[in-house]
Structure formats: C-alpha cells, structure tokens
Amino acid sequence: MRLLMLLCLFQLLHISTLFIAVESDAPPHACDPSRQSATYYSFCDKHKPIKKRVKNLVTHLTLDEKIAQLSASAPAIDRLGIPAYNWWSEALHGVTVNSYEQGIHLVGRILQVTSFPQVILTAASFDENLWYKIGQAIGIEARALYNAGEASGLTFWSPNINIVIDPRWGRAQETAGEDPLVASKYGVSFVRGIQGYSFEGEKLEDTLQASACCKHFTAYHLEKWGKVDRFTFNAIVSLQDLADTYNPPFKSCIQDGKASGLMCAYNRVNGVPNCADRDHLTNQVREQWGFDGYIVSDCDAVATMLTYANSTEEAVADAIKAGLDLDCGSTLSEYTKLAMDKNKLDQLQIDRAISNLFSVRMRLGLFDGDPTSHAYGNIGPEKVCSEMHQQLALDAAQDGIVLLKNSRQLLPFSQSKTTSLAVIGPNADNAHTLLGNYEGPPCISVTIFQALKGYIEDTEYHPGCNDVACASASIDIAEDLAKKADQVILVMGLDQSQESESIDREKLELPGEQRNLITQVAKAAKNPVVLVLVCGGPIDINFAKYDMNIGSILWAGYPGEAGGTALAKIIFGDHNPGGRLPMTWYPKDFISIPMTDMRMRPKPEKQYPGRTYRFYGGSKVFEFGYGLSYSKYSYKIHSVIPNRINLKQTSSKKMNEMTNGTSHVLVSELNHGSCRGFFIIIIVTNHGPLAGKHAVLPYIRFGKPRHGMPIKQLIGFQIVKLDPGRNSRVRFQFNLCELLGTANENGLPVVEGGTRILSVGKEEYTINITVD
C-alpha cells in the first residue's frame, strides 16, 4: 500500500511539473534575457527608439536572411535569437482559424473564440462605439492566444474597408457598406480598438495590442464577372471617384486610425497593378498620408502580375520599388535575389522593406523579451469567450438587425398569446451559416430555430428546401406545418455557397424555389408570416414587400454566434430593432450594369444609372439608411450654422470655372478662417411605445443639383438611447469646408457657391454659400 501511495504521489508530482512547464512556456519572442545576445545586440535595448533598433538589426542580417523575411511565413534567425513569425492572421469579425499556414492555431487550452456578426450587419448599427468595442475585444482575444502559445503572429489582415458599389459582390458581407464616411469611421474605430488605442485615438501603451491591416487598396469590388476575375481586372477609375469614394476610408484608416498595416489589392487601377503602383503606395500612402507601417500584397498578387510584367523577377522589382514590403506568397522570397542579380533592385530597397517589417514586430513588443512580462502580458485564456465578449456579440447582432417591414404592427409577438410556431427555411436550423465567412469556431452555437423554441415550446421546424440553393422545395409539407401553427417564421436567404470571396452573384433574386416556397406558405398560414433574410448582399424582395400575407421582414445579415438569440429577442419584443441598411437594395434588373464599370456618376446618355445612394437615381427595393423600429421617432433641427455663409479666398483670384461652367474655389485657396468648425443640434424624440436605440442620420444635398454632384451625402451619424416619451439633443460638429466640399475632376477638394439643404428625416434647413 505504501509503495502504491508513493507511486501515485510521484505521478501527481510528475503531472504537476508538466503542467507548470506548459503554463510557464513563453510565446515566441526575441531578445530573451537568458541569451547573451539580448545584452550584446543594440536592437534588444528596448529603451532606444525603434528606428535605431531596427537600423541596428538590419546591419546584422545577411542578404539571404533579409530576402527570406519578405514572405508572410518568415523563418527564424537562430543565430540572433529571432524566432519564426507568421504575418498572416485574420480577424474580420473575430479571430479566424482557416489553416495551419496562418498564425492562429487553437490547438491548446483555447478552442473557441467570440464570433461577432459579419461586418455588414455590424455596420447597420451605425454605432462607432460598438465598432470600437468589437475591435478591442478581438485584440484582447488575439493577444490572449499569443500569450497562451496558440499563435505565431499578432498581425491581422483586417478590416476590409472597400466600398461596395455593386450588390452582386460576394465580399460585400465583409465591409461596412457603400458610404465612404461610414466605411472610414468603421475602419478607424475597429483599428483603434484592436491595436489598443483609446476610442478617441490616444495611445494607451508603448506597444501595440495587435496589428491591424486596412485592405484592399484600392478600387477593389469584383471577384469574377463573366471572363473577368479579380487577378487580372483593370479598373478604370477617375481621379474624382478615387478622391471622393474609393480612397477616403484608407486615408482615414491610416491618418486617424493609425493602422500599422496596409494590403494592396489584386486588380490594376488605370493599367497599373495596385501592388506595383509607386504613385499610390509611396507617393500617396507614405509621403502624403504619413503611413509608417508595412505594406503587404494580397495573397499571390505579385505572382499574378506576370500578365503585366515581362518576367517574375521584373514583377518582384516593380512591386518592391513601388513600396511593397511583404508578399503573401513565396514570389518575393524566391525571385528577389534574381532581380538583384539582374540589377533590377538594390539592397537599399530591400533594407527599406525589412525595416518596415521589423519595426512593426518591435512595436508589438516582440523584441523586448517575454511578452507576458510586459504590456498586455496579463491577458490570459479567461479573456477569450468571456461573458463580456459574448454579451457584446449579442448586443451587436441585436443592434444591427434591420426591420424592413412591419404591417399592422405584426411584430413583436406576444410570448403569452402565441401558442405555437412553425419555423420554416434552409437557414433556420444551421448555426454555422449565421457566422458568414472568415469565421472562427464560436463560443456558443445556437440556431434561430433553437432560440425561438426557447420562447415557445410548441415550435416545429422544417427546412422547406433541400439546401439554400433550393433546387427542390417541400412546399406541401411546409404548407401543412404552417396551417397548424399560430404564427409562421420563414428563415430564408443566402449562404457562402451563394456569395463569398471568389463568388459573385449572377442574380439579385432569392435562389431556386425560395420565392415560391415563401409565397405558398404565406398563403396557407392562418396569420401574416414573418420573413427573415440571412444574407450579406441585398436581395430583390419586392414580391414580399407588397405581399399582404407577409406581415414583417427582418434582415439579419450573418449575425454571428448570438444571431439566433438576437432574432428571437427582437421577434418577441425583448429588444427594439434599430438597425439601418448600410447599402442600397437594388431591383433585379440592376444586373444589366457591368460589374467592370467603376464609374460612380451616372451617364444618362449611356443608360448608366450611377452607383450607391449618392449617385444612383433609379428605382430601389430599399434605400440606404432605411430601417424601421417598434417605436416612432421625430426630429427637429434646433441649432445650426447661419443660413448665409461667405467664404473668403486667400487672394483676389476669381473663382475657377469647372468644365461645365460652374464656378468653384479650391479649398486650398480659401482663407484659413473660412474652414472653421461649427455644430448643429438635432432634437430627437421617441414617441413610443418602447424604449429604443436609434441612429440619427443627417444628410446634405445641393439646392440645385447639377450633373456629377451627389444626390445627397451622409454628413455624420450618432446613436441615442431613449425611453418612450423622452427626447435628446444630439450635437454634430463639422469642418465647414469638409461639409460643403466636393472633389473636382482632378480629384482636388473644392467648394462651390450656391444653396445646400441640410436634412434629417423630414426636417430641412437651407444654407446659402457665397465665395469671394
């Protein structure tokens, strides 16, 4: 017995020792104090400026070592005590695990991560603070994974801040929608959160919590349309459209968000590949915008440049000389030496790229010894899937879901008066579909059907279709189920087989037999039915919009791990919906417009209607910013700038003439005081019957719009939370020239004289502008 007890004690001690060893394992880092090199090399002195440390490090590297670092899977430099590093990780709406080629592994104590709603739905909340909190939570979970040894990198290739100009784009779900201001503010909020800055942009620690990367620069919105794909597409884009639509989110992400990474897109812009465009990557991004991070290619974008360059080594040389620092792929690491041998590159250009890369690794604290003993070192596994993060995922889903129709106040249902439910549709009992793409394994997994059954025990389910494509529908079975139920909820839409990276849609209608299933079930049901749409891009549902048998329509996007719960809470009135569409929902015939046409402005003589709510004047299924609530809100413009404004030029020059004869002045020629800040105050009232969270969206438009000017332009947005019968004063502050300015044909900011109309809801205020 004594021997057995000793053996058991030995085993316990052995297991305990192993556990302590695992617990004490430090994540990958350089400059370990236990190594002599940590005191010998100047780049390990964390008290010196990073610029000097990087300069010292580069002097110790051989050419082969430098070239090897140009790949996303950077090998270790053992002789200097520098570990391997994986630059490629994703965190679009939560830390992502796609493959072992990337930097996140989830093979230890952490097996799940918080899965927030896909970005397009989060954008529908119009809540900058929410976007910041999501970025912050993702950054915390990313650092926790690194501290736990389940990550080999802290650089995340998110957010996607491309503007959605076409409803067919498979990656629309990843973005903040079609408005440059919304995309800009989303990018800034997310980047500040994930990198560890305050909401206002103040640096909270000496090191980055994680590194964000704004993508895909620039004018990228197409996967595959006909014979044209994203790898070879040449986007013809005017300077005006670049200035006022495609580039503003990237400028904001860099200047205001202080993003430490930028990804260039596959496509060309006006004949030049994005990843080989020196005018964009160096002259604009680095010199004009002040970017001090690293620039990475989209994966294998350098390799695809062979359609542009004469050889692989020429493509490599063009990319590096343009300002590219890192290749998601192996082209740079394999062909840079050859490019140098052929005198297409010199070592100074390699040193520039290497310096940018190691600078970011040092800013992450990975050259300061064990990261767990410094800033963010106390972030442990308990921070992943925390109660706070899961509640945030629920809040984001609730706040984003958009109520598109609610005839006769069908919703919310009464839990006490609803006796039975029929839940029908291919997206009703599939938790994974709710996540969208670039997803990680979620903390929880609840389907819409399961969440609804939690409210009404007598809830029956049938998929209705064989799958989302719905090549065949079980209409008879679905009708019988609907006839027996007190209320019917149809959960339809799309999934990643219909829209995703590499897959653009060919049609804007529901796939297969979905429409027929919806119509027939709605006819058979005792009461008007609820239609829930799970999808990223818009769908032409005019048939449902005007069908009296369909009482309510909810757009749920891809609502993440808490999406099922969020929908159930909205349907039964435990949450008052307040989301608004971040993109226009076009009619089905919009597909006659080529996806390859990048023009924002309409060309009526060419039967080209323009793009997005700012320029598209055609019919719409639902407008940008549309969204209902269970409550009624009203606005009053209480305080505003004078209705007459005179802008002074710095010289006695006459106002310039645009090509169409309209007079304008360059903002750069205005007197400094002309662009003063000002504010407006809008009083918002909730007339009930429920408390709600509401987005206030003011717009400005030209009193006499001319061709080429926006129909209207969102100028800001804020959230108010109001109880029934209460009101709130919402204050918006603006730079006058930014508010009144537009881009001219040369892409320069100008202000035109004339009338502007400021509007919010049905309220309007007129401003008259003169310039002398």
Side-chain angles (χ1 to χ4, degrees):
M1 177 66 71
R2 181 178 175 82
L3 179 60
L4 181 61
M5 289 179 64
L6 287 172
L7 285 171
C8 289
L9 180 61
F10 175 78
Q11 287 180 329
L12 286 171
L13 286 171
H14 180 62
I15 292 170
S16 176
T17 302
L18 287 174
F19 181 75
I20 292 170
V22 171
E23 287 287 296
S24 64
D25 283 348
H29 60 276
C31 302
D32 191 324
S34 65
R35 292 177 62 107
Q36 186 177 359
S37 59
T39 57
Y40 177 76
Y41 294 117
S42 181
F43 65 77
C44 286
D45 186 349
K46 62 184 179 182
H47 300 293
K48 290 187 175 181
I50 285 178
K51 190 173 182 179
K52 289 186 176 181
R53 295 174 68 187
V54 169
K55 186 175 181 180
N56 175 261
L57 172 58
V58 172
T59 65
H60 292 287
L61 299 177
T62 68
L63 178 59
D64 287 343
E65 286 171 338
K66 292 175 183 178
I67 292 173
Q69 294 294 311
L70 299 175
S71 170
S73 296
I77 307 173
D78 293 327
R79 67 183 184 84
L80 299 178
I82 299 173
Y85 186 83
N86 197 322
W87 289 88
W88 185 6
S89 294
E90 306 280 358
L92 188 66
H93 55 110
V95 177
T96 302
V97 182
N98 281 341
S99 74
Y100 284 97
E101 294 177 4
Q102 298 179 19
I104 302 297
H105 310 307
L106 298 189
V107 293
R109 288 173 293 166
I110 304 173
L111 299 177
Q112 291 88 28
V113 292
T114 308
S115 184
F116 295 96
Q118 183 59 290
V119 179
I120 195 69
L121 187 73
T122 303
S125 69
F126 286 86
D127 187 341
E128 293 177 77
N129 196 267
L130 175 67
W131 302 340
Y132 171 79
K133 288 179 180 178
I134 291 173
Q136 187 180 49
I138 293 171
I140 288 170
E141 296 200 358
R143 182 59 80 154
L145 286 162
Y146 196 84
N147 289 345
E150 297 191 39
S152 53
L154 276 168
T155 39
F156 292 84
W157 294 346
S158 304
N160 181 343
I161 53 172
N162 292 114
I163 298 298
V164 181
I165 69 166
D166 196 291
R168 291 162 286 187
W169 189 30
R171 302 187 75 171
Q173 61 181 290
E174 302 176 25
T175 77
E178 70 181 31
D179 183 76
L181 177 67
V182 175
S184 296
K185 290 184 176 293
Y186 176 82
V188 169
S189 298
F190 182 90
V191 167
R192 287 176 177 175
I194 196 171
Q195 292 195 160
Y197 290 89
S198 71
F199 174 72
E200 295 77 16
E202 298 171 354
K203 193 174 182 181
L204 299 179
E205 298 284 355
D206 290 336
T207 58
L208 297 173
Q209 178 173 254
S211 169
C213 177
C214 302
K215 64 183 186 184
H216 312 79
F217 187 70
T218 182
Y220 167 47
H221 89 118
L222 175 151
E223 302 303 297
K224 188 172 184 2
W225 184 77
K227 296 181 179 179
V228 181
D229 62 38
R230 58 180 177 167
F231 305 110
T232 58
F233 174 48
N234 181 25
I236 304 302
V237 189
S238 71
L239 293 175
Q240 189 175 35
D241 287 342
L242 280 173
D244 73 3
T245 298
Y246 295 110
N247 285 351
F250 292 96
K251 182 179 180 181
S252 295
C253 208
I254 288 168
Q255 292 188 330
D256 301 326
K258 297 182 175 64
S260 49
L262 178 74
M263 177 180 284
C264 51
Y266 289 113
N267 58 290
R268 305 180 200 176
V269 172
N270 299 326
V272 183
N274 272 306
C275 293
D277 194 329
R278 182 175 176 80
D279 282 343
H280 284 166
L281 300 186
T282 296
N283 298 346
Q284 185 172 56
V285 169
R286 290 204 183 276
E287 295 177 4
Q288 294 178 29
W289 297 350
F291 180 61
D292 66 350
Y294 74 100
I295 299 177
V296 60
S297 72
D298 206 338
C299 294
D300 290 323
V302 179
T304 63
M305 282 169 52
L306 282 178
T307 57
Y308 169 83
N310 294 321
S311 64
T312 305
E313 61 269 21
E314 183 176 303
V316 165
D318 288 346
I320 293 177
K321 287 190 291 186
L324 189 72
D325 302 313
L326 184 68
D327 179 19
C328 177
S330 59
T331 307
L332 292 192
S333 59
E334 291 177 4
Y335 287 90
T336 296
K337 185 68 177 298
L338 180 60
M340 295 182 70
D341 290 343
K342 292 188 175 184
N343 296 318
K344 296 180 181 295
L345 278 174
D346 60 46
Q347 190 156 183
L348 287 177
Q349 292 158 334
I350 307 303
D351 288 352
R352 180 223 73 221
I354 294 301
S355 296
N356 289 333
L357 296 174
F358 279 110
S359 175
V360 171
R361 288 174 68 173
M362 287 186 184
R363 289 169 65 187
L364 287 162
L366 305 184
F367 278 70
D368 297 342
D370 184 357
T372 61
S373 63
H374 302 299
Y376 310 114
N378 62 343
I379 299 177
E382 73 281 356
K383 297 292 185 180
V384 182
C385 287
S386 66
E387 184 177 340
M388 181 184 297
H389 290 179
Q390 291 189 60
Q391 180 62 48
L392 182 62
L394 176 60
D395 291 343
Q398 290 178 155
D399 292 348
I401 291 170
V402 181
L403 180 62
L404 297 174
K405 179 181 178 180
N406 198 27
S407 299
R408 300 179 183 177
Q409 289 73 53
L410 174 63
L411 291 179
F413 288 157
S414 166
Q415 187 175 1
S416 61
K417 294 179 181 179
T418 304
T419 58
S420 61
L421 282 180
V423 181
I424 298 167
N427 282 333
D429 199 31
N430 189 327
H432 188 261
T433 294
L434 304 183
L435 305 181
N437 69 354
Y438 282 91
E439 77 284 10
C443 310
I444 58 172
S445 185
V446 179
T447 70
I448 296 171
F449 163 63
Q450 291 168 339
L452 290 168
K453 192 171 178 62
Y455 276 84
I456 304 298
E457 186 175 351
D458 185 5
T459 297
E460 298 294 328
Y461 160 74
H462 192 275
C465 297
N466 54 325
D467 55 24
V468 167
C470 203
S472 62
S474 304
I475 294 177
D476 291 345
I477 298 174
E479 285 178 328
D480 290 342
L481 190 63
K483 289 174 183 178
K484 295 185 292 183
D486 187 19
Q487 302 288 356
V488 177
I489 299 171
L490 289 149
V491 187
M492 315 300 284
L494 310 173
D495 65 10
Q496 300 309 303
S497 70
Q498 304 294 309
E499 56 173 355
S500 67
E501 184 173 358
S502 78
I503 300 176
D504 291 327
R505 285 188 289 158
E506 296 181 359
K507 296 181 179 181
L508 296 182
E509 300 159 283
L510 286 165
E513 291 292 309
Q514 283 198 39
R515 173 176 176 172
N516 191 25
L517 174 65
I518 293 167
T519 302
Q520 295 305 316
V521 168
K523 284 182 181 178
K526 297 177 184 177
N527 297 303
V529 304
V530 175
L531 173 61
V532 175
L533 296 170
V534 176
C535 57
I539 299 171
D540 184 343
I541 52 165
N542 264 319
F543 76 92
K545 182 178 177 181
Y546 299 109
D547 188 336
M548 297 300 294
N549 295 317
I550 300 172
S552 296
I553 303 173
L554 287 159
W555 174 62
Y558 294 109
E561 66 174 39
T565 302
L567 270 163
K569 288 170 72 69
I570 287 172
I571 287 171
F572 282 95
D574 287 337
H575 182 82
N576 189 355
R580 291 170 173 253
L581 293 177
M583 60 189 298
T584 303
W585 282 36
Y586 298 87
K588 60 186 179 182
D589 60 4
F590 189 86
I591 64 171
S592 63
I593 305 302
M595 283 193 75
T596 50
D597 197 326
M598 303 292 288
R599 293 174 296 174
M600 297 301 299
R601 275 98 178 145
K603 294 289 183 183
E605 69 278 8
K606 301 287 187 182
Q607 286 77 53
Y608 182 71
R611 294 182 179 274
T612 78
Y613 81 95
R614 294 162 62 228
F615 301 103
Y616 172 74
S619 62
K620 307 172 184 71
V621 180
F622 293 107
E623 292 190 336
F624 169 90
Y626 179 82
L628 304 174
S629 169
Y630 295 153
S631 294
K632 300 294 182 183
Y633 295 90
S634 66
Y635 311 98
K636 181 179 180 181
I637 300 176
H638 178 67
S639 178
V640 73
I641 58 175
N643 59 12
R644 291 188 179 276
I645 297 174
N646 179 249
L647 301 176
K648 301 288 186 179
Q649 296 188 77
T650 56
S651 68
S652 58
K653 293 179 181 179
K654 292 183 178 180
M655 292 182 73
N656 300 296
E657 294 292 324
M658 295 182 117
T659 55
N660 64 359
T662 305
S663 59
H664 76 283
V665 62
L666 291 169
V667 170
S668 60
E669 293 178 0
L670 285 171
N671 183 286
H672 180 71
S674 291
C675 292
R676 65 191 183 279
F678 74 95
F679 63 89
I680 62 172
I681 292 175
I682 298 171
I683 298 177
V684 186
T685 303
N686 179 357
H687 298 281
L690 300 176
K693 185 176 178 181
H694 182 69
V696 183
L697 310 181
Y699 296 87
I700 199 164
R701 71 178 191 271
F702 281 77
K704 293 182 179 180
R706 63 171 182 81
H707 179 68
M709 289 295 100
I711 298 169
K712 64 178 181 177
Q713 171 67 61
L714 184 72
I715 57 174
F717 50 91
Q718 285 192 46
I719 291 294
V720 291
K721 296 180 181 179
L722 289 172
D723 289 329
R726 304 304 296 267
N727 61 47
S728 178
R729 295 162 63 92
V730 184
R731 188 175 188 270
F732 291 88
Q733 188 160 350
F734 301 99
N735 173 289
L736 195 60
C737 294
E738 290 179 1
L739 175 74
L740 303 176
T742 57
N744 67 9
E745 288 87 344
N746 295 318
L748 300 175
V750 299
V751 175
E752 294 186 36
T755 302
R756 307 290 194 281
I757 309 296
L758 178 70
S759 66
V760 56
K762 296 179 180 179
E763 287 286 300
E764 293 188 345
Y765 184 86
T766 301
I767 307 168
N768 294 298
I769 313 298
T770 58
V771 182
D772 58 35

